[in-house]
Amino acid sequence: MHVVLFCIFAGIGGTCLGCLWLFTRETMSSDAIQRILTFGAGFMAGLVCFELIPEAFELTGPGMTIAGLAAGLGFILLIDAITHKLNAHSHHDHGDSGPLHTLPANEKTFIHAGRMMLISISLHNLPEGIAIGSGGSYDIQLGITLAAVIALHNLPVGMAIAAPLLAGNYSKGRVLFLTALSGVPTLAGGFIGMTAGSVSDAMLAFSLAGAGGTMLYVVCREILPQSIRSIPLRIALPLFLTGGILGMVLTRFA
């Protein structure tokens, strides 16, 4: 039951909070959010390197750990390829039929972009749920920590979904509902991770390492490049390292 709550908090709660922030705008600057995300990325990397991978090694050794890491990376690379293909397809879709046809061209463009973003994020939320499910089935405290850092990562995700839909004149209630809907696959992923982790030590190690591979991809592919573009490296690097050190300390002594 606790894994379900963790997934709801991380997947639905995180994206909805990002959406609600976009409704108000004045509560926190985008620069401040990026700095928090950079710190969170370091914390996430610390969890992977000093908790998930060492625990997987301890359970079964290097073979299953490496296989899990490779599987996690392969899975999220496949999802990334699918979402890029969907986004590329959206650029060739001129919206000449269906309910968007009656809208002005700019509104059709915004709504279509918002829908494609919704599908992309929903797919990405599945492996994040697997990470929470496998980690939470191993240790409740680890599940809580994973849910917290993934929820933090999902704050700008909620904004990314909401912004084009708001520009397409969707009502705030509808935008919030659709944003929450994108977090539902996190629940499905949580059940997958929880089920796999409860089968045997080997499957648990595989799931933990797979979650680590997924999270490292999120850090290296999604968060850090954006951080480097958005804030100076002299600020981004200390924030990332501080987060990593804190993640190491908490996993070793919590």
Side-chain angles (χ1 to χ4, degrees), residues 88-167:
H89 173 72
S90 71
H91 292 305
H92 296 91
D93 187 344
H94 300 292
D96 294 330
S97 61
L100 298 184
H101 181 61
T102 59
L103 293 171
N106 61 330
E107 290 189 14
K108 286 192 290 184
T109 301
F110 285 131
I111 291 176
H112 191 73
R115 288 179 177 177
M116 298 308 298
M117 181 65 70
L118 181 66
I119 294 170
S120 299
I121 297 305
S122 297
L123 288 172
H124 273 87
N125 279 338
L126 182 65
E128 291 180 355
I130 294 174
I132 296 171
S134 57
S137 65
Y138 177 74
D139 178 67
I140 292 179
Q141 184 61 45
L142 178 58
I144 292 172
T145 306
L146 288 171
V149 294
I150 289 173
L152 181 66
H153 166 63
N154 279 339
L155 285 173
V157 167
M159 300 175 207
I161 295 172
L165 294 176
L166 287 172

Side-chain angles (χ1 to χ4, degrees), residues 35-248:
R35 294 182 187 215
I36 293 172
L37 280 175
T38 305
F39 176 84
F43 191 89
M44 195 182 294
L47 284 179
V48 172
C49 296
F50 297 101
E51 178 72 17
L52 294 179
I53 293 177
E55 293 295 348
F57 262 89
E58 186 177 334
L59 285 167
T60 60
M64 190 61 75
T65 303
I66 293 171
L69 281 167
L73 285 170
F75 182 54
I76 197 165
L77 280 170
L78 176 62
I79 287 179
D80 215 27
I82 293 171
T83 56
H84 275 109
K85 187 174 182 180
L86 288 171
N87 288 328
H89 173 72
S90 71
H91 292 305
H92 296 91
D93 187 344
H94 300 292
D96 294 330
S97 61
L100 298 184
H101 181 61
T102 59
L103 293 171
N106 61 330
E107 290 189 14
K108 286 192 290 184
T109 301
F110 285 131
I111 291 176
H112 191 73
R115 288 179 177 177
M116 298 308 298
M117 181 65 70
L118 181 66
I119 294 170
S120 299
I121 297 305
S122 297
L123 288 172
H124 273 87
N125 279 338
L126 182 65
E128 291 180 355
I130 294 174
I132 296 171
S134 57
S137 65
Y138 177 74
D139 178 67
I140 292 179
Q141 184 61 45
L142 178 58
I144 292 172
T145 306
L146 288 171
V149 294
I150 289 173
L152 181 66
H153 166 63
N154 279 339
L155 285 173
V157 167
M159 300 175 207
I161 295 172
L165 294 176
L166 287 172
N169 282 331
Y170 271 32
S171 68
K172 287 184 177 180
R174 191 178 183 188
V175 170
L176 184 61
F177 171 76
L178 291 173
T179 303
L181 198 63
S182 72
V184 172
T186 311
L187 283 171
F191 282 114
I192 294 171
M194 183 172 55
T195 302
S198 63
V199 172
S200 65
D201 283 351
M203 283 303 300
L204 178 58
F206 184 85
S207 299
L208 290 173
T214 298
M215 292 170 67
L216 285 177
Y217 181 88
V218 170
V219 169
C220 297
R221 172 67 176 82
E222 298 182 10
I223 301 179
L224 286 184
Q226 181 61 37
S227 298
I228 293 171
R229 287 194 298 267
S230 302
I231 56 179
L233 186 61
R234 68 179 186 277
I235 297 175
L237 186 58
L239 284 172
F240 180 80
L241 292 176
T242 302
I245 292 169
L246 181 60
M248 176 188 68

